[in-house]
Amino acid sequence: MKAAILKNKRHIEIQDIDIPSIKTNEVLLRVHYAGICSTDIKIFHGELPCKYPVILGHEFCGEAVEIGSEAKNIIRGDCYNVQPNLSCGYCIECRKDKYSLCKNKICYGTHVNGSLSEYCAIDYRLLYPISEDKTFEGTFIEPIACCLYALNRCSINIGDNVLIIGGGFTGLIFIQLVKLRGGKVCLVTRSDHKRALARSLGADLTCKSIPETDMDFDVVIDAVGKPETIDSSIRAAARGGKLLLFGVNPTEVTVPINPYTVWEKELVIVASRGNGHNHFGAIRTMSKVNITSLVSHVIDLEAFETISGIIEDENHIKTVVSFV
Ligand SMILES: [Zn+2]
Ligand SMILES: [Zn+2]
């Protein structure tokens, strides 16, 4: 099978390798579509850790073609979406039901091989059934689950004034989810194209940079994950507001913040990591969000070698690798 193997930092090779043999608890999925996440790009650039060599990719759907003897409730030929993080179930965090924080978590596409290959062996407990004609849209269940988890972490209320920093895929999903929750949304992005898209998706206001005059945001969502947005997020938050760190910063980065401002405003700073097992919620939300207008590129696996160029295009939002 063809697979995009990350050999080392910024070194991807498309290779022909053996189809993985499954363990008794695994299912072999023939991958239909795999979404490229900004986390994949950060791993590619060496900004986030992974285990080399690894096949990237954690947003995907496919068809079950082989089923291990211990895998329950999986039907050969049916299609599934994947929750790509396997928590251990026995560490202290798992026992507290904080599965996203499991110390022994195995992440497909980071620690073990993920979806940028024609086939992928997956623990059966991570599969969520979807209909065969929904495997393209279903590829976005995982990032939507991450957004739902993030919004649960900062509990947005009807009428809240919400600033979303970043007009990438998740920024544009956040607009729609915050509107569903009755919030008022301002989205910040430098891209004219993404601002227009944001307005068409329901943003009440869009800006090129964080507004310096209106600093009354009940919730500020950093959907970028770059150090330069942290200070302005703190400044933009209302007194008594919340700052949600969603975008992942590079591991080595530190930023100066003004603790007096955090104290003086009584800010709550929350982070969200992963999908918090929100896949069922995400599946039920799919029909309420516009996804197809957010897919800017559909490519085949060979083209993944040029992914850096695609991502740097200012109008890039979401790339999907198609295997069908
Ligand atoms: Zn992701
Ligand atoms: Zn655990």
Side-chain angles (χ1 to χ4, degrees):
M1 68 170 186
K2 283 202 178 61
I5 302 171
L6 184 67
K7 302 260 175 171
N8 218 318
K9 187 171 154 178
R10 297 199 188 96
H11 178 195
I12 285 245
E13 278 180 25
I14 311 293
Q15 289 188 341
D16 245 315
I17 59 171
D18 291 341
I19 292 173
S21 45
I22 55 168
K23 299 183 193 130
T24 52
N25 62 321
E26 288 181 330
V27 172
L28 186 67
L29 274 197
R30 186 174 74 77
V31 179
H32 284 189
Y33 299 99
I36 308 299
C37 176
S38 58
T39 309
D40 296 319
I41 304 305
K42 288 174 182 176
I43 295 171
F44 170 77
H45 285 296
E47 293 172 4
L48 295 175
C50 72
K51 189 175 177 296
Y52 300 114
V54 72
I55 298 171
L56 290 175
H58 57 270
E59 301 175 356
F60 60 117
C61 286
E63 175 192 349
V65 293
E66 202 185 328
I67 300 167
S69 58
E70 289 173 37
K72 296 179 181 69
N73 210 12
I74 304 291
I75 299 166
R76 187 191 305 266
D78 277 8
C79 290
Y80 295 88
N81 176 254
V82 178
Q83 191 288 97
N85 306 320
L86 183 64
S87 37
C88 73
Y90 58 80
C91 73
I92 293 298
E93 287 71 21
C94 282
R95 285 168 200 260
K96 290 179 181 171
D97 291 343
K98 296 183 186 298
Y99 300 107
S100 288
L101 300 177
C102 170
K103 289 194 186 82
N104 309 309
K105 189 165 69 173
I106 294 167
C107 301
Y108 286 84
T110 307
H111 308 124
V112 296
N113 287 337
S115 59
L116 290 182
S117 57
E118 291 174 285
Y119 294 87
C120 186
I122 299 284
D123 188 297
Y124 78 98
R125 291 168 294 180
L126 301 177
L127 299 179
Y128 289 73
I130 54 165
S131 63
E132 190 183 343
D133 60 346
K134 291 287 180 207
T135 53
F136 184 76
E137 296 92 327
T139 301
F140 310 112
I141 290 168
E142 203 277 335
I144 290 172
C146 293
C147 294
L148 287 177
Y149 178 54
L151 294 187
N152 291 342
R153 296 272 301 145
C154 62
S155 46
I156 285 169
N157 296 311
I158 292 174
D160 272 354
N161 197 17
V162 180
L163 176 69
I164 299 168
I165 303 172
F169 181 79
T170 49
L172 296 168
I173 291 289
F174 272 131
I175 291 175
Q176 302 179 67
L177 297 180
V178 171
K179 293 302 290 183
L180 284 171
R181 290 190 173 204
K184 183 182 167 207
V185 177
C186 172
L187 181 117
V188 175
T189 172
R190 282 195 294 265
S191 159
D192 297 338
H193 170 65
K194 289 175 185 171
R195 283 200 306 282
L197 198 49
R199 286 191 293 275
S200 77
L201 294 171
D204 300 281
L205 188 69
T206 58
C207 306
K208 240 181 175 160
S209 57
I210 295 174
E212 292 292 335
T213 47
D214 179 7
M215 304 301 243
D216 194 29
F217 293 102
D218 302 300
V219 179
V220 178
I221 299 174
D222 176 9
V224 176
K226 286 191 175 158
E228 49 270 33
T229 52
I230 302 290
D231 182 54
S232 33
S233 301
I234 290 173
R235 283 188 289 114
R239 294 161 78 84
K242 293 175 205 143
L243 167 59
L244 171 69
L245 301 181
F246 180 81
V248 189
N249 273 271
T251 46
E252 302 301 324
V253 157
T254 56
V255 287
I257 62 164
N258 182 332
Y260 179 82
T261 306
V262 175
W263 175 84
E264 194 248 349
K265 288 187 175 183
E266 249 190 17
L267 292 186
V268 176
I269 300 178
V270 289
S272 81
R273 179 180 173 186
N275 57 56
H277 292 203
N278 278 269
H279 270 52
F280 272 119
I283 289 167
R284 291 171 186 149
T285 308
M286 293 294 288
S287 62
K288 306 218 181 305
V289 289
N290 180 333
I291 295 161
T292 42
S293 66
L294 307 185
V295 177
S296 54
H297 299 74
V298 179
I299 61 173
D300 58 23
L301 191 64
E302 278 79 6
F304 187 77
E305 281 183 312
T306 60
I307 193 72
S308 282
I310 294 172
I311 299 288
E312 277 155 26
D313 172 358
E314 197 190 56
N315 293 333
H316 173 265
I317 297 172
K318 188 69 162 179
T319 292
V320 176
V321 178
S322 171
F323 294 89
V324 296

